[in-house]
Amino acid sequence: MNQNLYSLLAAHFPQDPAAPCMVLPDDRVWTYGDVERASGRMANLIVALGLKPGDRVAAQVEKTPEALVLYLAAIRAGMVFLPLNPAYQRHELEFFLGDAKPGLFVCRPQQRMLAAELANELATKAGVPHVLELDDHGCGSLIDAATRHADAFATVPRAKDDLAAILYTSGTTGRSKGAMLSHGNLAHNARTLHDYWHFQPGDVMLHMLPTFHVHGLFVACHTTLLNGSAMFFEPKFDAARAMKLLPQSTVFMGVPTYYVRLLLDPVFGRQTCRNIRLFVSGSAPLLKETFDEFKARTGHTILERYGMTEGGMFTSNPYDGERRGGTVGFPLPGTSLQIVGAGGTAIKPGAVGQIQVKGDNVFVGYWGMPEKTKEEFTADGYFRTGDMGSFDAEGYVTISGRSKDLVITGGLNVYPKEIEELIDAMPGVVESAVIGLPHPDFGEAVTAVVVRQKNAAGAALTESGIIAAIKDKLANFKVPKWVYLVDELPRNAMGKVQKNILRKTYSPMTGR
Ligand code: AMP
């Protein structure tokens, strides 16, 4: 049977081809018929360029309907889609293209010069035969070339394990790795989330996430397409636009920063959210304070879920049952999640250990890295996520952070979250990040980087004051040796605090 993800999605497109799929900021509408025809044209073009099923199509493009359709065209034609963050610079691009060796690289008009330059270079160096711009202005662009092709395209049959996409991990330590996701992986997660989050006819998604990442491209788009419903397709998150569109939407998916920004608007409240049935948060931890304040202001309980590039979503707070702030809920149906101690030993509820997952959504492996892939799986097929966490007595999972962010001081483990929570609860503190910095005696010294509020309580915060306030609540080895007060924490496009940058920034200061 054909397991091509596009066939699954298309089987759920509305009967009426005039039904809206994407509504744009200028009110233009892409119907499901438009999506079907445009993806057909692009798929025909990709095939005419000489690409064969399994070849990679890399795209470093802005978030537009055409960009989403390019993704659908690529999987329809049996190619492997490789979305790249538009922020990547030349040397990063060279790495990704050299590593994945796509048959086609689709770029942005801003990169016309770079593209022209890269075209020759890449053709020889990285083995990329075709470089095209996506946009519709330049002649010779992909969209322009696709207009010369037929709308009709017979979706290429694919097996469950055939690759649909490669997403490069952000690579905050070491080299970025290409996570290979199969049609079966993506289909499994799309179906699970569609059911678990009760997608229903008439839903309207407010889509403000980037589409080079699992959250925006897979979680938000697949659930909508599988539902055959519409989404406001916005180029990026913008609080003022969200205020305007939320009243016309039923589902919103965001990273925690979006929720924090919405709460900054004093008008944001129950009225703004009157038609929403579901707010989803993920990709980074949602502070309990944000969860609580959101509930108080809007009456809505944000549903927090947890997952990663290497397998989509693993856990979710329940749709119907209690959604618990500070937790990421239960393993999703079809995902087996275990938390183990060092060496894979079983641990008690409440104890922090390494999170491992298994299921049809878990990726196939890292592109071109069979040894690394092997290392990351246990003998019985569990993927080592690199996240630390715990189960509570009722089975809710709490994430304590990445294992590489664990601080080991004097041979003892310190989980940053425990200290961050104490600091965050202090008056005048917006948020904090706890890291380990090299220390001659302890190996690593617990260090807190604290964002203060712009008010009197924030101004009153001092390094010694913060240490004194939490000293009695923590074993001595966990008490920060150093505290830095800052205006904000560095975050990536998905709202994740970049602790690697903090470690780099503050390391030279450790000799003080
Ligand atoms: P990415 O592959 O970019 O989606 O990043 C995945 C990582 O983000 C996970 O391994 C977690 O460390 C983190 N993450 C995702 N969702 C959550 C969440 N709800 N709470 C805490 N961390 C999260």
Side-chain angles (χ1 to χ4, degrees):
M1 205 190 125
N2 180 14
Q3 303 282 336
N4 191 309
L5 173 71
Y6 184 83
S7 304
L8 169 71
L9 298 173
H12 292 82
F13 287 179
Q15 297 237 305
D16 178 5
C21 176
M22 288 175 271
V23 181
L24 307 186
D26 61 6
D27 293 332
R28 270 185 308 139
V29 173
W30 274 67
T31 66
Y32 272 92
D34 294 334
V35 168
E36 178 94 30
R37 287 186 295 274
S39 64
R41 287 195 295 277
M42 284 193 202
N44 277 313
L45 167 68
I46 295 171
V47 172
L49 289 174
L51 274 77
K52 299 274 176 293
D55 283 350
R56 274 76 58 213
V57 172
Q60 193 194 28
V61 294
E62 300 300 342
K63 178 185 174 186
T64 59
E66 288 85 354
L68 180 61
V69 170
L70 172 65
Y71 158 61
L72 295 173
I75 58 169
R76 234 184 132 169
M79 311 302 162
V80 181
F81 190 67
L82 202 152
L84 294 166
N85 186 337
Y88 286 141
Q89 303 290 331
R90 185 196 173 99
H91 79 278
E92 292 159 312
L93 272 184
E94 281 178 359
F95 166 73
F96 294 123
L97 299 175
D99 191 49
K101 301 205 173 12
L104 166 65
F105 170 44
V106 185
C107 63
R108 294 168 293 165
Q110 296 94 306
Q111 289 169 306
R112 200 164 281 152
M113 292 301 295
L114 175 62
E117 219 179 284
L118 280 177
N120 281 332
E121 239 179 76
L122 291 174
T124 46
K125 220 162 93 185
V128 182
H130 301 284
V131 180
L132 285 176
E133 283 167 35
L134 178 64
D135 99 298
D136 52 356
H137 315 300
C139 72
S141 72
L142 183 139
I143 291 169
D144 182 49
T147 56
R148 293 188 284 279
H149 288 270
D151 291 347
F153 183 86
T155 298
V156 172
R158 296 272 80 192
K160 189 169 159 261
D161 294 335
D162 285 332
L163 296 191
I166 297 176
L167 264 64
Y168 278 84
T169 57
S170 47
T172 47
T173 52
R175 169 194 146 178
S176 181
K177 303 179 287 291
M180 299 187 284
L181 295 154
S182 68
H183 286 264
N185 291 150
L186 299 178
H188 177 85
N189 219 226
R191 278 201 189 98
T192 305
L193 298 177
H194 183 268
D195 289 354
Y196 203 76
W197 293 340
H198 293 210
F199 273 81
Q200 45 199 254
D203 264 338
V204 178
M205 167 84 70
L206 175 52
H207 193 306
M208 296 189 136
L209 290 157
T211 45
F212 54 79
H213 185 267
V214 54
H215 197 166
L217 183 60
F218 299 149
V219 180
C221 288
H222 288 172
T223 46
T224 302
L225 296 174
L226 199 52
N227 199 46
S229 54
M231 51 188 161
F232 289 113
F233 205 64
E234 293 284 302
K236 61 178 179 17
F237 176 77
D238 177 288
R241 288 289 297 163
M243 290 294 291
K244 182 166 184 296
L245 297 172
L246 278 170
Q248 303 165 60
S249 310
T250 64
V251 181
F252 180 74
M253 292 187 184
V255 298
T257 332
Y258 297 1
Y259 292 103
V260 172
R261 300 233 188 106
L262 283 170
L263 288 168
L264 289 177
D265 187 330
V267 180
F268 177 73
R270 280 171 197 267
Q271 265 302 95
T272 332
C273 307
R274 60 187 178 271
N275 286 319
I276 295 279
R277 69 166 183 85
L278 181 63
F279 281 105
V280 177
S281 176
S283 295
L286 179 74
L287 291 181
K288 180 78 167 48
E289 296 85 86
T290 312
F291 174 89
D292 290 339
E293 191 185 342
F294 201 88
K295 195 170 181 177
R297 283 269 289 280
T298 66
H300 282 276
T301 314
I302 299 174
L303 178 153
E304 185 169 7
R305 92 299 177 281
Y306 153 71
M308 68 198 302
T309 305
E310 286 91 333
M313 298 304 106
F314 301 144
T315 74
S316 170
N317 266 282
Y319 187 82
D320 287 323
E322 185 199 348
R323 298 178 196 163
R324 249 180 226 178
T327 84
V328 293
F330 306 111
L332 281 161
T335 300
S336 166
L337 185 147
Q338 61 184 23
I339 300 182
V340 298
T345 50
I347 54 168
K348 289 198 278 312
V352 175
Q354 299 165 10
I355 300 181
Q356 302 182 342
V357 291
K358 188 166 155 174
D360 283 347
N361 51 326
V362 175
F363 77 138
V364 178
Y366 293 115
W367 173 258
M369 301 174 94
E371 286 308 312
K372 181 79 191 155
T373 302
K374 228 165 126 191
E375 267 172 38
E376 299 300 341
F377 281 87
T378 64
D380 54 353
Y382 278 85
F383 170 60
R384 304 178 215 271
T385 63
D387 288 314
M388 310 289 295
S390 55
F391 274 118
D392 70 12
E394 283 146 278
Y396 284 84
V397 175
T398 297
I399 309 291
S400 309
R402 303 283 301 157
S403 58
K404 64 174 194 290
D405 291 330
L406 180 77
V407 184
I408 305 179
T409 185
L412 298 166
N413 288 355
V414 178
Y415 299 104
K417 196 173 174 198
E418 185 185 354
I419 298 137
E420 288 162 2
E421 278 177 352
L422 286 177
I423 298 177
D424 293 350
M426 287 179 60
V429 172
V430 177
E431 60 176 346
S432 61
V434 166
I435 52 173
L437 293 180
H439 188 283
D441 296 335
F442 301 108
E444 283 187 309
V446 177
T447 306
V449 184
V450 180
V451 181
R452 51 172 139 196
Q453 286 170 3
K454 293 188 174 62
N455 56 21
L461 288 172
T462 60
E463 175 178 1
S464 54
I466 291 174
I467 292 175
I470 58 175
K471 219 171 156 162
D472 295 343
K473 303 184 178 108
L474 289 171
N476 210 19
F477 70 94
K478 296 183 190 171
V479 176
K481 301 246 171 335
W482 300 308
V483 175
Y484 296 102
L485 294 161
V486 297
D487 289 332
E488 61 178 4
L489 296 174
R491 290 197 138 84
N492 72 8
M494 299 312 294
K496 287 188 219 300
V497 175
Q498 293 169 300
K499 290 196 169 175
N500 54 326
I501 294 185
L502 289 177
R503 282 190 284 262
K504 239 189 240 159
T505 309
Y506 295 102
S507 272
M509 296 159 93
T510 55
R512 65 189 192 158

